[in-house]
Amino acid sequence: MSGYILQSNSAFQIKFDYSPKLIEKVKALPGRRWNAGEKCWEVPAINRIDVERFAYANNFTFGLPVEQQFDIPAMPELQVDIPLKMEMFPYQKQGVAYAIQKKRTIIGDKPGLGKTVQAIATVLHYNAFPCIVVCPSALKENWRREWAEKWTSKKAMVLTDNIRTTFPRYWEAGLADVFIVNYESLKKFFVKSMPAKGEKKRLTIKDIVFKQQMVEMFKSVIVDESHRCKSFGTQQTKFVKGLANGKDIILLCTGTPVMNKPVELVPQLGILDQLDPFGGYKGFINRYCAGPNNASNLKELNYKLRTNCFYQRDKSEVLKDLPAKMRQIVYCEIDNRKEYVAAEADLMNYLIQYQNADDERVERAMRGEIMVKMGILKNISARGKLQDVFDFVEDIIASGEKLVLFAYLKDIVGEIKQRFPGCVTVTGDDNEKQKQAAVDTFQNDPSCKLFVGNIIAAGVGLTLTSASRVAFIEQWWNPAIMDQCEDRCHRIGQQDSVNCFYFLGRETIDEKIYEIIDRKRVMVANVTGSEEQVQESVIDDLINLFNQK
């Protein structure tokens, strides 16, 4: 069947997949006109005989077509061993098996299900090195550690200005297997020349001259948060496309490949060179972007995606494979490094005096001052990573998920509230009635996606099980307090897995605190001392770490 015809009292609506030949035939019908809103041709009802002849000659039917059955095949099983440092979950192995089969794939699992390791394992299977990873700036260090420390021992490096022209030498010398770059730096590293702004009315990828040696050296491309490439009108998308051209292994990672409308898939499919199965650009637009909502034939689109180049699992589908709680570190490059370095130097100088103190009263007073200076470092780091936190929150909310976000400082909570005015908050300033109202709104209102709580005020007694994602901008000294915050979303008897994200400023006090409280977790479970004693133990360790530095 080529297409179908719908009839109203005044006109026939003729609908079909894009075809230049059919368009010419329709144009021969009397009174025909194009209805842009409905994405169809209309012919006045008085021309019934002409329409019937057209339908018979071109195998069209009157009325809606019988809905096709789109049976999506089961995910394949992984049949090969991939040398990773840790074992993948069963559903992750299935994802890798799919990506190995297809090679050019959108890994679309929902946030927290481990898209990173699936991409890494696929590239590792094919030994497709050197590999280039394109990701948001906030995730560069995470990708480096995932490659070089957590899952493999491959040498991974972040591209910086110092190696702008020389980074290929690192691959040639065996010093790097994986290179990591943020979207905003693609032009700097990979574009040789392009028309100046305003020189061309419409910039195309053919107008961009890429640095051939630096583009062609890569055997595989991973694009994280690929939904950022939602329009070929942006330079960013063109740069990614130029980097991916001709590569056998192209993996796009995103839990939200479509943020608003199907048309946003077009650039991502174009980057994968996977538009042909969908009828090319025009075929995709005509078939899947029609109607008043610019969305049509969605079941068919889903079927074609999943059988060609896309898979996605929701947490509910893979819950049996997941532990009750999972912790993940998100390393951030703080944007106020100069301020932090000065404050850290002040602390180091003070520690020297502390070591030389021989009077117990002086030592006790200085210890209190050290706590104040450490608090200043925590404050600076918290402010320095806020933009990364904002990007993370926006991605989670865009995926339709809820998030519980913990902080300590009032200023930090206030900035989050200002950025996301629809969120609800619980701080030490709230009475019990206000706290409960915030909890009820978050638990019961589907449109309320973000809960922001003070670690102390919201860390105990509240039930926030409508979310299965918890994130921390700041940390408390006591690991038990952090665990209690995590457990606001994970209650006894709950059949869910909670993802706990810790935002740590790279090379800041955050890393030291996390390392210590993580070690202390086992001890806290058995300790018989008071919370103050545990807290003192953590602080002693921190002072020792700074003294070692």
Side-chain angles (χ1 to χ4, degrees), residues 159-161 164 182 184-191 211 214 239:
L159 294 184
T160 64
D161 286 345
R164 184 187 299 189
N182 56 298
E184 294 80 8
S185 296
L186 287 171
K187 180 180 179 181
K188 176 169 55 179
F189 287 103
F190 298 107
V191 175
K211 299 174 183 177
M214 296 176 178
F239 297 155

Side-chain angles (χ1 to χ4, degrees), residues 389 518 521:
V389 173
D518 204 40
R521 277 192 167 98

Side-chain angles (χ1 to χ4, degrees), residues 9-255:
N9 291 331
S10 60
F12 293 97
Q13 289 187 339
I14 304 175
K15 298 193 175 189
F16 53 91
D17 292 344
Y18 176 76
S19 166
K21 290 183 179 180
L22 283 175
I23 290 174
E24 290 305 314
K25 291 181 179 180
V26 172
K27 285 183 176 179
L29 293 172
R32 52 89 185 130
R33 72 177 185 88
W34 173 249
N35 184 329
E38 293 293 331
K39 295 283 199 304
C40 69
W41 291 93
E42 288 188 344
V43 178
I46 59 172
N47 299 312
R48 165 178 286 276
I49 294 176
D50 297 282
V51 172
E52 288 178 347
R53 285 173 180 166
F54 169 86
Y56 178 78
N58 296 286
N59 196 29
F60 274 52
T61 62
F62 285 86
L64 287 171
V66 177
E67 187 172 330
Q68 291 178 254
Q69 294 299 313
F70 297 110
D71 295 324
I72 298 170
M75 291 287 285
E77 298 296 330
L78 187 62
Q79 303 297 330
V80 296
D81 291 325
I82 297 177
L84 296 169
K85 288 183 176 180
M86 297 188 296
E87 187 78 7
M88 290 184 288
F89 292 125
Y91 72 88
Q92 291 173 333
K93 292 181 179 180
Q94 291 178 329
V96 173
Y98 182 100
I100 286 174
Q101 284 183 10
K102 306 297 184 180
K103 296 186 179 180
R104 298 177 179 183
T105 305
I106 299 175
I107 301 174
D109 284 344
K110 289 294 184 179
L113 296 186
K115 294 183 285 294
T116 300
V117 65
Q118 295 175 63
I120 288 173
T122 304
V123 171
L124 198 63
H125 169 77
Y126 280 109
N127 194 29
F129 299 102
C131 172
I132 182 73
V133 177
V134 182
C135 65
S137 181
L139 301 180
K140 289 188 293 187
E141 178 63 15
N142 291 278
W143 270 100
R144 190 195 68 77
R145 297 191 187 210
E146 296 276 320
W147 268 109
E149 299 172 18
K150 184 175 180 180
W151 292 103
T152 80
S153 295
K154 289 292 182 181
K155 303 178 185 69
M157 67 185 303
V158 174
L159 294 184
T160 64
D161 286 345
N162 295 335
I163 56 171
R164 184 187 299 189
T165 60
T166 59
F167 67 85
R169 307 289 88 81
Y170 285 80
W171 161 251
E172 294 167 4
L175 299 174
D177 307 294
V178 179
F179 298 83
I180 302 159
V181 62
N182 56 298
Y183 284 98
E184 294 80 8
S185 296
L186 287 171
K187 180 180 179 181
K188 176 169 55 179
F189 287 103
F190 298 107
V191 175
K192 184 177 181 180
S193 64
M194 58 185 291
K197 187 175 182 180
E199 188 175 325
K200 287 202 68 174
K201 187 174 182 180
R202 184 174 179 271
L203 181 72
T204 70
I205 194 168
K206 293 180 181 178
D207 299 317
I208 302 171
V209 180
F210 289 90
K211 299 174 183 177
Q212 290 303 313
Q213 179 194 5
M214 296 176 178
V215 170
E216 293 175 358
M217 66 178 276
F218 296 108
K219 298 295 187 294
S220 57
V221 177
I222 298 172
V223 183
D224 195 14
E225 305 294 350
S226 63
H227 56 267
R228 295 191 176 201
C229 301
K230 62 182 179 181
S231 170
F232 265 131
T234 66
Q235 290 187 11
Q236 184 172 280
T237 303
K238 293 182 176 71
F239 297 155
V240 173
K241 173 60 177 170
L243 193 56
N245 269 344
K247 306 295 187 294
D248 286 334
I249 310 299
I250 308 172
L251 304 170
L252 308 189
C253 301
T254 172

